[in-house]
């Protein structure tokens, strides 16, 4: 099949376990144990195709145990990224979907879908432009339901060989899971309510050094 003949495949397996003093427990001298397992794979388009793609799939499992609770989380993610070159520009289409299940001392499910359609980065003279529409659908705990459509725009100007200024506006719905919360804050309760964030941001500009 032309779509997969010569395509590049990759995979990864990772297991991590850590134990630390859990200062968030009501019982002093309590330790928390966190076990994480990750399995992922990808398929990247062959060079001879006139357009490019990358398909990914991953599975993540975590178990969080301390004096007052034991919670397991399983998460599945699939993604597809494609770029279609045209005469002067390239079109970009992305799809990402994630589902997560919690069981044990707390239970629930989390869902997240993101669709992206727009222009891949276009450059002319010293200017560059990236523009796309992002569509989100997400479900968190306590009945959270988000449906959003956001524009994403990035405009850059090359000041010199070493410096560039970039102005961008990129609001988004950010996926959160229990394991991500624990990775950021090791002492967060494993029975916390998990909800996704709707990150509205003001237009910003930065100066980059190469």
């Amino acid at each position: 099949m032309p779509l997969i003949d010569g395509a590049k495949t990759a995979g990864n397996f990772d297991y991590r376990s850590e134990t630390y003093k859990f200062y968030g427990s009501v019982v002093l001298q309590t330790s928390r144990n966190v076990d994480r397992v990750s399995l992922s794979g990808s398929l990247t388009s062959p060079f001879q195709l006139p357009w490019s793609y990358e398909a990914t799939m991953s599975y993540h499992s975590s178990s969080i145990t301390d004096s007052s609770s034991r919670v397991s989380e399983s998460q599945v993610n699939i993604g597809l990224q494609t770029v279609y070159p045209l005469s002067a520009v390239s079109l970009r289409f992305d799809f990402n979907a994630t589902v997560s299940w919690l069981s044990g001392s707390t239970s629930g499910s989390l869902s997240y879908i993101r669709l992206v359609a727009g222009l891949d980065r276009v450059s002319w003279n010293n200017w560059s432009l990236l523009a796309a529409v992002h569509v989100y659908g997400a479900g968190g705990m306590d009945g959270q339901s988000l449906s959003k459509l956001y524009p994403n725009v990035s405009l850059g100007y090359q000041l010199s060989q070493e410096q560039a200024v970039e102005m961008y506006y990129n609001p988004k719905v950010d996926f959160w899971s229990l394991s991500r919360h624990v990775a950021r804050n090791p002492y967060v309760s494993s029975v916390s309510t998990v909800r996704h964030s709707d990150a509205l941001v003001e237009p910003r500009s930065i100066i980059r050094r190469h």
Side-chain angles (χ1 to χ4, degrees):
M1 295 178 61
L3 283 177
I4 60 175
D5 287 344
K8 180 182 177 181
T9 60
N12 183 68
F13 174 80
D14 183 63
Y15 171 74
R16 300 184 184 185
S17 180
E18 60 177 329
T19 301
Y20 53 89
K21 291 294 184 181
F22 181 45
Y23 298 108
S25 173
V26 295
V27 180
L28 297 179
Q29 305 301 319
T30 296
S31 295
R32 164 175 278 183
N33 181 257
V34 181
D35 294 313
R36 296 184 178 92
V37 176
S38 297
L39 180 65
S40 62
S42 65
L43 180 69
T44 305
S45 58
F47 292 112
Q48 64 266 27
L49 278 184
W51 54 281
S52 63
Y53 70 83
E54 182 180 27
T56 60
M57 185 172 184
S58 61
Y59 171 77
H60 306 277
S61 175
S62 61
S63 176
I64 305 165
T65 305
D66 53 58
S67 64
S68 59
S69 64
R70 178 185 178 92
V71 178
S72 297
E73 182 175 39
S74 297
Q75 178 180 314
V76 176
N77 174 271
I78 58 173
L80 178 64
Q81 300 176 346
T82 62
V83 176
Y84 293 85
L86 301 178
S87 56
V89 298
S90 294
L91 300 180
R92 172 191 167 201
F93 300 94
D94 295 353
F95 169 79
N96 182 269
T98 302
V99 180
S100 179
W101 299 272
L102 297 168
S103 61
S105 300
T106 188
S107 61
S109 62
L110 308 166
S111 60
Y112 178 86
I113 293 177
R114 179 177 69 106
L115 297 171
V116 178
L119 295 176
D120 203 20
R121 187 170 294 276
V122 179
S123 299
W124 71 100
N125 295 328
N126 290 334
W127 292 92
S128 65
L129 172 68
L130 189 153
V133 173
H134 292 227
V135 180
Y136 296 93
M141 298 176 71
D142 280 357
Q144 183 193 34
S145 179
L146 296 173
S147 298
K148 300 289 183 177
L149 187 151
Y150 288 136
N152 273 231
V153 179
S154 171
L155 179 65
Y157 184 78
Q158 193 72 34
L159 298 173
S160 66
Q161 290 184 346
E162 298 180 349
Q163 288 186 330
V165 61
E166 186 171 0
M167 295 164 285
Y168 57 93
Y169 176 66
N170 58 348
K172 62 180 179 178
V173 174
D174 209 10
F175 174 80
W176 281 92
S177 63
L178 177 61
S179 57
R180 184 181 178 189
H181 276 293
V182 172
R184 174 165 291 192
N185 178 6
Y187 307 111
V188 70
S189 171
S190 60
V191 295
S192 298
T193 299
V194 182
R195 296 165 65 89
H196 309 299
S197 61
D198 187 8
L200 289 172
V201 297
E202 297 293 330
R204 291 180 291 176
S205 62
I206 59 173
I207 295 179
R208 298 187 184 275
R209 290 182 177 271
H210 298 291

